[in-house]
């Protein structure tokens, strides 16, 4: 503990501040609920101190010439949790559907057909042996988990599912389940059906440090059973609900961090009010040192009821800027004020001075009832009269010679009022931002002016001035997109295109008639958000590991259509079914893993058909998609996209089989992904080598000389895999390849998954 003097000094500091002391050195920094005391020869780091702050203390101790103190701080901090504190010791276990059960596997027994999941099905067992389609089990007792005191038993292997903890290494592969090819040699949009934690581990082999943008819309933890932890829905009554969610998110964010390009990339996370505070602190811990900003986006003007509190109309978007990442300046502030003009729609510039709607009668606004004098021969405004007394008759007003008095009259003949006072109108006329309009059918002259919206657009260049007419009014027109000054988007997004009901749910039904998905994001909201970070990256790689209905992949294809880009996406989703759908399937005698169950899952029923329909322009039933895209890029949805897509199921491989080359077909898609996800995928081993569009594999290193000669004829190849266990031979082949990136199989593949498992414990 700190000495008495230090303790006394620290105690005098206001709550919610940091006091860091080292002899004469003292520093106080603002941060709520953070206490950190450092004294010579000892260190105390509280559980609320951030990782960045701990490192700062270590750096300062080094600068002060006391390496022992630095070591003390490092040692103490390594034994404590710091940053956002939550319950970490509740393990996350994942069912590995599709993995063949083998001896020594940890498993769970699936519910009997026609019955729902129960606590008994979440007990853990270890397989001692397999025989004749049966498995002998004994109780597997793990710390911090439901104890299993059951007696050994024998069950059908078909009734078992293998289970893995998040920090245990798995070795993933991919099995193709379909593809759509409409894009020539463009990279493929990739969809992976599987547990996203394991999919991220697999992607770390292919894309570590290469991803430009990650966009995710994770479960919001509303308490409405919108996600599962340890194969059980988490509801509002779970006292560990927030800790489970934070642990669940932290593990995936740490893997996501491995994927992002440390020099220039961005993580985008959407959330609502239930977890946004905790998420912000979690992001600060996982991405310590990165710039983080939060945006508020209007997504539903109608509002979602919050049981006696304010109805929610917005969501929050966290943006984590990695390295040198910046927002691409554009033509849209993301406020509704400028969006229409820059997106091709040209609303009227001039507005009627006549007030309409509420409080528009003369008696309600008597100080806004006055005449405007117009010379009808020259069609000019020659003057502005004074406000009339509320009891005065307007017909008693005598206009100047040769002029008529124009009053604010409604079409039904009742007296109204103008939008501004006589003094303000005179000023507007002087500046040329008010003018005489046209006569309507009743012979009434219109008086026009510029509202604040149009004045702002004149100021920012959206509307340009092309001259002054003979009556002194500004001549205005909308600038072309190229002429509008680029600007930084604002942190409040108020765009009608973000309406999740219209451009999420309703739009999805256009592509998949008769099918629904809960709360899909607006296509245009995702498109706009991603654009800020990949507009200047036509070959960007975008990952979404909470892909849901596939909106992110759809948005990436939209962006490519707009500028001819070759961006590609990796979308990871599971094949869960809704609670209501699960009840129907259970009643019909099915359970997860059965074909009848899997066909109704998110990936099979929604994600894959949606992306297929978007590319082909046809619904799953074969008819053309009705309607058209709006806003930035308007064209019929039935036109589809010039894109390619491929669909995979995540598989689980035995590391020994991988090491011996017995699982090549499952590993092959990962090799293709790492090479750029375009062109031919090498799916079969050859006696010597194979050279595809973007990569090559040397299966027999003894043929290296001939391979290198053949490779010289394929300048498009940018990556080489060499299959060998001999490090010296691998180094020799690498030296022969003249600087081409070289990956050793299967050592690098296996090492990648071990690293992911080890990182889960840090």
């Amino acid at each position: 503990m700190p000495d008495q003097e230090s303790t006394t000094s620290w105690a005098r500091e206001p709550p919610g501040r940091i006091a860091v002391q080292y002899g004469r050195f003292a520093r106080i920094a603002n941060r709520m609920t953070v206490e950190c005391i450092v004294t010579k020869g000892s260190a105390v780091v509280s559980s609320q101190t951030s990782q960045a702050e701990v490192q700062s203390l270590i750096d300062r101790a080094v600068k002060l010439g006391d390496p022992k103190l630095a070591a003390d701080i490092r040692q103490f901090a390594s034994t404590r949790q710091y940053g956002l504190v939550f319950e970490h010791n509740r393990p996350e276990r994942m069912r590995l559907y599709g993995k063949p059960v083998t001896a020594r596997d940890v498993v769970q027994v699936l519910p009997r057909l026609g019955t729902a999941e129960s606590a008994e099905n979440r007990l853990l067992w270890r397989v001692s042996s397999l025989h004749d389609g049966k498995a002998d089990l004994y109780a597997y007792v793990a710390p911090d988990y439901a104890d299993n005191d059951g007696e050994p038993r024998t069950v059908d292997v078909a009734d078992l599912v293998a289970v893995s903890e998040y920090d245990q290494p798995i070795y993933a592969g991919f099995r193709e389940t379909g593809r759509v090819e409409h894009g020539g040699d463009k990279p493929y949009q990739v969809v992976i059906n599987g547990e996203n934690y394991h999919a991220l581990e697999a992607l770390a082999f292919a894309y570590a440090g290469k991803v430009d943008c990650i966009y995710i819309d994770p479960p919001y933890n509303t308490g409405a059973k919108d996600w599962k932890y340890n194969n059980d829905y988490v509801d509002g009554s779970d006292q560990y609900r927030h800790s489970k969610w934070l642990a669940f998110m932290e593990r995936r964010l740490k893997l996501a961090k491995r994927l992002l390009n440390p020099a220039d990339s961005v993580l985008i996370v959407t959330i609502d009010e239930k977890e946004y505070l905790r998420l912000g602190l979690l992001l600060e811990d996982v991405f310590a040192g990165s710039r983080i900003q939060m945006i508020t986006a209007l997504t539903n003007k109608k509002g979602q009821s919050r049981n006696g509190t304010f109805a929610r109309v917005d969501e929050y978007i966290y943006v984590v800027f990695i390295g040198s990442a910046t927002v691409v300046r554009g033509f849209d502030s993301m406020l509704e004020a400028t969006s229409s003009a820059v997106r091709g729609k040209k609303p009227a510039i001039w507005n009627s001075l006549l007030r309409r709607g509420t409080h528009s009668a003369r008696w309600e606004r008597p100080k806004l009832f006055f005449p405007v004098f117009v010379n009808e021969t020259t069609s000019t405004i020659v003057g502005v009269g004074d406000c009339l007394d509320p009891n005065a008759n307007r017909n008693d007003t005598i206009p100047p010679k040769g002029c008529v008095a124009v009053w604010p009259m409604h079409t039904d003949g009742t007296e109204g009022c103008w939008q501004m006072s006589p003094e303000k109108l005179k000023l507007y006329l002087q500046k040329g931002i008010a003018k005489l309009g046209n006569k309507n059918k009743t012979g009434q002259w219109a008086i026009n002016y510029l509202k604040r919206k149009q004045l702002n657009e004149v100021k920012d260049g959206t509307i340009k001035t092309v001259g002054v007419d003979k009556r002194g009014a500004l001549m205005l027109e909308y600038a072309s997109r190229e002429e509008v000054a680029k600007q930084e988007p604002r942190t409040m997004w108020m765009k009608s295109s973000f309406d999740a009901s219209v451009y999420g749910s309703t739009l999805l039904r256009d592509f998949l008639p008769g099918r629904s998905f809960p709360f899909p994001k607006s296509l245009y909201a995702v498109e706009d958000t991603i654009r800020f970070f990949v507009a200047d990256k036509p070959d960007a790689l975008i990952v979404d590991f909470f892909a849901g209905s596939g909106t992110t992949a759809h948005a990436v294809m939209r962006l490519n259509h707009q500028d001819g880009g070759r961006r590609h996406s990796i979308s990871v989703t599971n094949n869960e079914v809704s609670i209501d759908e699960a009840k129907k399937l259970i009643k019909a005698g099915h359970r997860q893993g059965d074909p009848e169950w899997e066909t109704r899952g998110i990936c099979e029923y929604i994600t894959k058909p949606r992306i297929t329909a978007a590319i082909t322009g046809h619904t799953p039933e074969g008819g053309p998609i009705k309607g058209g895209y709006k806003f930035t890029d308007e064209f019929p949805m039935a036109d589809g996209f010039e894109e390619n897509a491929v669909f995979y199921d995540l598989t689980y491989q035995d590391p020994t089989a991988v090491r011996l080359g017995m699982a090549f077909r499952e590993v092959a898609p990962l090799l293709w992904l790492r090479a750029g996800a375009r062109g031919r995928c090498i799916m079969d081993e050859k006696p010597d080598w194979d050279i595809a569009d973007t990569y090559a594999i040397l299966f027999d290193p003894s043929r290296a000389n001939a391979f290198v000669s053949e490779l010289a004829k394929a300048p498009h190849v940018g990556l080489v895999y060499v299959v060998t266990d001999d490090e010296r031979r691998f180094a020799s082949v690498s030296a022969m390849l003249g600087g081409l990136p070289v990956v050793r199989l299967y050592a690098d593949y296996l090492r990648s998954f071990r690293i992911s498992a080890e990182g889960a414990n840090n």
Side-chain angles (χ1 to χ4, degrees), residues 610-626:
R610 189 247 183 97
I611 293 173
T612 300
I615 293 175
T616 63
H618 288 76
T619 67
E621 292 71 33
I625 299 170
K626 298 178 181 179

mmCIF file with all atom_site columns, all heavy atoms in Angstrom, residues 610-626:
data_model
loop_
_atom_site.group_PDB
_atom_site.id
_atom_site.type_symbol
_atom_site.label_atom_id
_atom_site.label_alt_id
_atom_site.label_comp_id
_atom_site.label_asym_id
_atom_site.label_entity_id
_atom_site.label_seq_id
_atom_site.pdbx_PDB_ins_code
_atom_site.Cartn_x
_atom_site.Cartn_y
_atom_site.Cartn_z
_atom_site.occupancy
_atom_site.B_iso_or_equiv
_atom_site.pdbx_formal_charge
_atom_site.auth_seq_id
_atom_site.auth_comp_id
_atom_site.auth_asym_id
_atom_site.auth_atom_id
_atom_site.pdbx_PDB_model_num
ATOM 1   N N   . ARG A 1 610 ? -31.108 -13.624 -50.243 1.00 0.00 ? 610 ARG A N   1
ATOM 2   C CA  . ARG A 1 610 ? -31.128 -12.169 -50.441 1.00 0.00 ? 610 ARG A CA  1
ATOM 3   C C   . ARG A 1 610 ? -29.971 -11.723 -51.331 1.00 0.00 ? 610 ARG A C   1
ATOM 4   O O   . ARG A 1 610 ? -30.148 -10.925 -52.263 1.00 0.00 ? 610 ARG A O   1
ATOM 5   C CB  . ARG A 1 610 ? -31.050 -11.474 -49.074 1.00 0.00 ? 610 ARG A CB  1
ATOM 6   C CG  . ARG A 1 610 ? -31.278 -9.948  -49.149 1.00 0.00 ? 610 ARG A CG  1
ATOM 7   C CD  . ARG A 1 610 ? -30.052 -9.145  -48.803 1.00 0.00 ? 610 ARG A CD  1
ATOM 8   N NE  . ARG A 1 610 ? -30.283 -7.714  -48.807 1.00 0.00 ? 610 ARG A NE  1
ATOM 9   C CZ  . ARG A 1 610 ? -30.547 -6.969  -47.732 1.00 0.00 ? 610 ARG A CZ  1
ATOM 10  N NH1 . ARG A 1 610 ? -30.565 -7.531  -46.547 1.00 0.00 ? 610 ARG A NH1 1
ATOM 11  N NH2 . ARG A 1 610 ? -30.740 -5.665  -47.853 1.00 0.00 ? 610 ARG A NH2 1
ATOM 12  N N   . ILE A 1 611 ? -28.767 -12.213 -51.068 1.00 0.00 ? 611 ILE A N   1
ATOM 13  C CA  . ILE A 1 611 ? -27.609 -11.815 -51.871 1.00 0.00 ? 611 ILE A CA  1
ATOM 14  C C   . ILE A 1 611 ? -27.721 -12.366 -53.284 1.00 0.00 ? 611 ILE A C   1
ATOM 15  O O   . ILE A 1 611 ? -27.389 -11.688 -54.268 1.00 0.00 ? 611 ILE A O   1
ATOM 16  C CB  . ILE A 1 611 ? -26.315 -12.262 -51.174 1.00 0.00 ? 611 ILE A CB  1
ATOM 17  C CG1 . ILE A 1 611 ? -26.149 -11.459 -49.879 1.00 0.00 ? 611 ILE A CG1 1
ATOM 18  C CG2 . ILE A 1 611 ? -25.103 -12.077 -52.081 1.00 0.00 ? 611 ILE A CG2 1
ATOM 19  C CD1 . ILE A 1 611 ? -25.009 -11.908 -49.012 1.00 0.00 ? 611 ILE A CD1 1
ATOM 20  N N   . THR A 1 612 ? -28.238 -13.583 -53.409 1.00 0.00 ? 612 THR A N   1
ATOM 21  C CA  . THR A 1 612 ? -28.464 -14.156 -54.746 1.00 0.00 ? 612 THR A CA  1
ATOM 22  C C   . THR A 1 612 ? -29.463 -13.313 -55.523 1.00 0.00 ? 612 THR A C   1
ATOM 23  O O   . THR A 1 612 ? -29.254 -12.991 -56.704 1.00 0.00 ? 612 THR A O   1
ATOM 24  C CB  . THR A 1 612 ? -28.973 -15.602 -54.617 1.00 0.00 ? 612 THR A CB  1
ATOM 25  O OG1 . THR A 1 612 ? -27.999 -16.395 -53.932 1.00 0.00 ? 612 THR A OG1 1
ATOM 26  C CG2 . THR A 1 612 ? -29.241 -16.201 -55.989 1.00 0.00 ? 612 THR A CG2 1
ATOM 27  N N   . ALA A 1 613 ? -30.559 -12.937 -54.868 1.00 0.00 ? 613 ALA A N   1
ATOM 28  C CA  . ALA A 1 613 ? -31.585 -12.132 -55.535 1.00 0.00 ? 613 ALA A CA  1
ATOM 29  C C   . ALA A 1 613 ? -31.040 -10.764 -55.931 1.00 0.00 ? 613 ALA A C   1
ATOM 30  O O   . ALA A 1 613 ? -31.331 -10.255 -57.025 1.00 0.00 ? 613 ALA A O   1
ATOM 31  C CB  . ALA A 1 613 ? -32.793 -11.965 -54.612 1.00 0.00 ? 613 ALA A CB  1
ATOM 32  N N   . ALA A 1 614 ? -30.233 -10.158 -55.058 1.00 0.00 ? 614 ALA A N   1
ATOM 33  C CA  . ALA A 1 614 ? -29.669 -8.844  -55.370 1.00 0.00 ? 614 ALA A CA  1
ATOM 34  C C   . ALA A 1 614 ? -28.792 -8.899  -56.617 1.00 0.00 ? 614 ALA A C   1
ATOM 35  O O   . ALA A 1 614 ? -28.805 -7.984  -57.451 1.00 0.00 ? 614 ALA A O   1
ATOM 36  C CB  . ALA A 1 614 ? -28.863 -8.322  -54.180 1.00 0.00 ? 614 ALA A CB  1
ATOM 37  N N   . ILE A 1 615 ? -28.025 -9.982  -56.776 1.00 0.00 ? 615 ILE A N   1
ATOM 38  C CA  . ILE A 1 615 ? -27.125 -10.108 -57.927 1.00 0.00 ? 615 ILE A CA  1
ATOM 39  C C   . ILE A 1 615 ? -27.901 -10.439 -59.197 1.00 0.00 ? 615 ILE A C   1
ATOM 40  O O   . ILE A 1 615 ? -27.684 -9.829  -60.255 1.00 0.00 ? 615 ILE A O   1
ATOM 41  C CB  . ILE A 1 615 ? -26.052 -11.180 -57.654 1.00 0.00 ? 615 ILE A CB  1
ATOM 42  C CG1 . ILE A 1 615 ? -25.104 -10.712 -56.537 1.00 0.00 ? 615 ILE A CG1 1
ATOM 43  C CG2 . ILE A 1 615 ? -25.253 -11.482 -58.921 1.00 0.00 ? 615 ILE A CG2 1
ATOM 44  C CD1 . ILE A 1 615 ? -24.095 -11.753 -56.112 1.00 0.00 ? 615 ILE A CD1 1
ATOM 45  N N   . THR A 1 616 ? -28.812 -11.394 -59.105 1.00 0.00 ? 616 THR A N   1
ATOM 46  C CA  . THR A 1 616 ? -29.524 -11.847 -60.305 1.00 0.00 ? 616 THR A CA  1
ATOM 47  C C   . THR A 1 616 ? -30.674 -10.931 -60.696 1.00 0.00 ? 616 THR A C   1
ATOM 48  O O   . THR A 1 616 ? -31.103 -10.916 -61.856 1.00 0.00 ? 616 THR A O   1
ATOM 49  C CB  . THR A 1 616 ? -30.086 -13.259 -60.089 1.00 0.00 ? 616 THR A CB  1
ATOM 50  O OG1 . THR A 1 616 ? -31.049 -13.220 -59.018 1.00 0.00 ? 616 THR A OG1 1
ATOM 51  C CG2 . THR A 1 616 ? -28.970 -14.233 -59.733 1.00 0.00 ? 616 THR A CG2 1
ATOM 52  N N   . GLY A 1 617 ? -31.215 -10.172 -59.720 1.00 0.00 ? 617 GLY A N   1
ATOM 53  C CA  . GLY A 1 617 ? -32.379 -9.337  -59.998 1.00 0.00 ? 617 GLY A CA  1
ATOM 54  C C   . GLY A 1 617 ? -33.680 -10.105 -59.963 1.00 0.00 ? 617 GLY A C   1
ATOM 55  O O   . GLY A 1 617 ? -34.722 -9.567  -60.351 1.00 0.00 ? 617 GLY A O   1
ATOM 56  N N   . HIS A 1 618 ? -33.634 -11.354 -59.476 1.00 0.00 ? 618 HIS A N   1
ATOM 57  C CA  . HIS A 1 618 ? -34.840 -12.183 -59.437 1.00 0.00 ? 618 HIS A CA  1
ATOM 58  C C   . HIS A 1 618 ? -35.055 -12.741 -58.031 1.00 0.00 ? 618 HIS A C   1
ATOM 59  O O   . HIS A 1 618 ? -34.095 -13.073 -57.324 1.00 0.00 ? 618 HIS A O   1
ATOM 60  C CB  . HIS A 1 618 ? -34.738 -13.341 -60.433 1.00 0.00 ? 618 HIS A CB  1
ATOM 61  C CG  . HIS A 1 618 ? -34.854 -12.904 -61.859 1.00 0.00 ? 618 HIS A CG  1
ATOM 62  N ND1 . HIS A 1 618 ? -33.817 -12.276 -62.530 1.00 0.00 ? 618 HIS A ND1 1
ATOM 63  C CD2 . HIS A 1 618 ? -35.885 -12.985 -62.745 1.00 0.00 ? 618 HIS A CD2 1
ATOM 64  C CE1 . HIS A 1 618 ? -34.210 -11.999 -63.771 1.00 0.00 ? 618 HIS A CE1 1
ATOM 65  N NE2 . HIS A 1 618 ? -35.463 -12.411 -63.921 1.00 0.00 ? 618 HIS A NE2 1
ATOM 66  N N   . THR A 1 619 ? -36.317 -12.860 -57.651 1.00 0.00 ? 619 THR A N   1
ATOM 67  C CA  . THR A 1 619 ? -36.670 -13.425 -56.353 1.00 0.00 ? 619 THR A CA  1
ATOM 68  C C   . THR A 1 619 ? -36.379 -14.923 -56.349 1.00 0.00 ? 619 THR A C   1
ATOM 69  O O   . THR A 1 619 ? -36.166 -15.530 -57.411 1.00 0.00 ? 619 THR A O   1
ATOM 70  C CB  . THR A 1 619 ? -38.158 -13.199 -56.058 1.00 0.00 ? 619 THR A CB  1
ATOM 71  O OG1 . THR A 1 619 ? -38.936 -13.979 -56.982 1.00 0.00 ? 619 THR A OG1 1
ATOM 72  C CG2 . THR A 1 619 ? -38.516 -11.724 -56.190 1.00 0.00 ? 619 THR A CG2 1
ATOM 73  N N   . PRO A 1 620 ? -36.390 -15.573 -55.180 1.00 0.00 ? 620 PRO A N   1
ATOM 74  C CA  . PRO A 1 620 ? -36.192 -17.025 -55.140 1.00 0.00 ? 620 PRO A CA  1
ATOM 75  C C   . PRO A 1 620 ? -37.214 -17.798 -55.958 1.00 0.00 ? 620 PRO A C   1
ATOM 76  O O   . PRO A 1 620 ? -36.937 -18.918 -56.405 1.00 0.00 ? 620 PRO A O   1
ATOM 77  C CB  . PRO A 1 620 ? -36.317 -17.348 -53.641 1.00 0.00 ? 620 PRO A CB  1
ATOM 78  C CG  . PRO A 1 620 ? -35.904 -16.095 -52.953 1.00 0.00 ? 620 PRO A CG  1
ATOM 79  C CD  . PRO A 1 620 ? -36.420 -14.992 -53.826 1.00 0.00 ? 620 PRO A CD  1
ATOM 80  N N   . GLU A 1 621 ? -38.376 -17.192 -56.183 1.00 0.00 ? 621 GLU A N   1
ATOM 81  C CA  . GLU A 1 621 ? -39.402 -17.857 -56.995 1.00 0.00 ? 621 GLU A CA  1
ATOM 82  C C   . GLU A 1 621 ? -39.166 -17.675 -58.488 1.00 0.00 ? 621 GLU A C   1
ATOM 83  O O   . GLU A 1 621 ? -39.893 -18.253 -59.302 1.00 0.00 ? 621 GLU A O   1
ATOM 84  C CB  . GLU A 1 621 ? -40.783 -17.320 -56.623 1.00 0.00 ? 621 GLU A CB  1
ATOM 85  C CG  . GLU A 1 621 ? -41.258 -17.696 -55.214 1.00 0.00 ? 621 GLU A CG  1
ATOM 86  C CD  . GLU A 1 621 ? -40.495 -16.972 -54.115 1.00 0.00 ? 621 GLU A CD  1
ATOM 87  O OE1 . GLU A 1 621 ? -40.092 -15.807 -54.338 1.00 0.00 ? 621 GLU A OE1 1
ATOM 88  O OE2 . GLU A 1 621 ? -40.274 -17.588 -53.049 1.00 0.00 ? 621 GLU A OE2 1
ATOM 89  N N   . GLY A 1 622 ? -38.188 -16.857 -58.857 1.00 0.00 ? 622 GLY A N   1
ATOM 90  C CA  . GLY A 1 622 ? -37.821 -16.700 -60.263 1.00 0.00 ? 622 GLY A CA  1
ATOM 91  C C   . GLY A 1 622 ? -38.342 -15.452 -60.939 1.00 0.00 ? 622 GLY A C   1
ATOM 92  O O   . GLY A 1 622 ? -37.959 -15.155 -62.078 1.00 0.00 ? 622 GLY A O   1
ATOM 93  N N   . GLY A 1 623 ? -39.210 -14.692 -60.297 1.00 0.00 ? 623 GLY A N   1
ATOM 94  C CA  . GLY A 1 623 ? -39.750 -13.485 -60.912 1.00 0.00 ? 623 GLY A CA  1
ATOM 95  C C   . GLY A 1 623 ? -38.835 -12.292 -60.725 1.00 0.00 ? 623 GLY A C   1
ATOM 96  O O   . GLY A 1 623 ? -38.032 -12.253 -59.782 1.00 0.00 ? 623 GLY A O   1
ATOM 97  N N   . PRO A 1 624 ? -38.919 -11.307 -61.615 1.00 0.00 ? 624 PRO A N   1
ATOM 98  C CA  . PRO A 1 624 ? -38.091 -10.103 -61.464 1.00 0.00 ? 624 PRO A CA  1
ATOM 99  C C   . PRO A 1 624 ? -38.478 -9.329  -60.206 1.00 0.00 ? 624 PRO A C   1
ATOM 100 O O   . PRO A 1 624 ? -39.653 -9.248  -59.860 1.00 0.00 ? 624 PRO A O   1
ATOM 101 C CB  . PRO A 1 624 ? -38.383 -9.303  -62.732 1.00 0.00 ? 624 PRO A CB  1
ATOM 102 C CG  . PRO A 1 624 ? -39.720 -9.787  -63.186 1.00 0.00 ? 624 PRO A CG  1
ATOM 103 C CD  . PRO A 1 624 ? -39.801 -11.225 -62.801 1.00 0.00 ? 624 PRO A CD  1
ATOM 104 N N   . ILE A 1 625 ? -37.480 -8.778  -59.539 1.00 0.00 ? 625 ILE A N   1
ATOM 105 C CA  . ILE A 1 625 ? -37.741 -7.986  -58.335 1.00 0.00 ? 625 ILE A CA  1
ATOM 106 C C   . ILE A 1 625 ? -38.425 -6.687  -58.738 1.00 0.00 ? 625 ILE A C   1
ATOM 107 O O   . ILE A 1 625 ? -37.973 -5.986  -59.644 1.00 0.00 ? 625 ILE A O   1
ATOM 108 C CB  . ILE A 1 625 ? -36.432 -7.700  -57.585 1.00 0.00 ? 625 ILE A CB  1
ATOM 109 C CG1 . ILE A 1 625 ? -35.772 -9.017  -57.159 1.00 0.00 ? 625 ILE A CG1 1
ATOM 110 C CG2 . ILE A 1 625 ? -36.693 -6.818  -56.363 1.00 0.00 ? 625 ILE A CG2 1
ATOM 111 C CD1 . ILE A 1 625 ? -34.374 -8.853  -56.631 1.00 0.00 ? 625 ILE A CD1 1
ATOM 112 N N   . LYS A 1 626 ? -39.497 -6.361  -58.064 1.00 0.00 ? 626 LYS A N   1
ATOM 113 C CA  . LYS A 1 626 ? -40.244 -5.148  -58.384 1.00 0.00 ? 626 LYS A CA  1
ATOM 114 C C   . LYS A 1 626 ? -39.625 -3.941  -57.688 1.00 0.00 ? 626 LYS A C   1
ATOM 115 O O   . LYS A 1 626 ? -39.046 -4.049  -56.623 1.00 0.00 ? 626 LYS A O   1
ATOM 116 C CB  . LYS A 1 626 ? -41.704 -5.305  -57.959 1.00 0.00 ? 626 LYS A CB  1
ATOM 117 C CG  . LYS A 1 626 ? -42.429 -6.437  -58.675 1.00 0.00 ? 626 LYS A CG  1
ATOM 118 C CD  . LYS A 1 626 ? -43.862 -6.577  -58.164 1.00 0.00 ? 626 LYS A CD  1
ATOM 119 C CE  . LYS A 1 626 ? -44.571 -7.733  -58.862 1.00 0.00 ? 626 LYS A CE  1
ATOM 120 N NZ  . LYS A 1 626 ? -45.959 -7.908  -58.357 1.00 0.00 ? 626 LYS A NZ  1
#
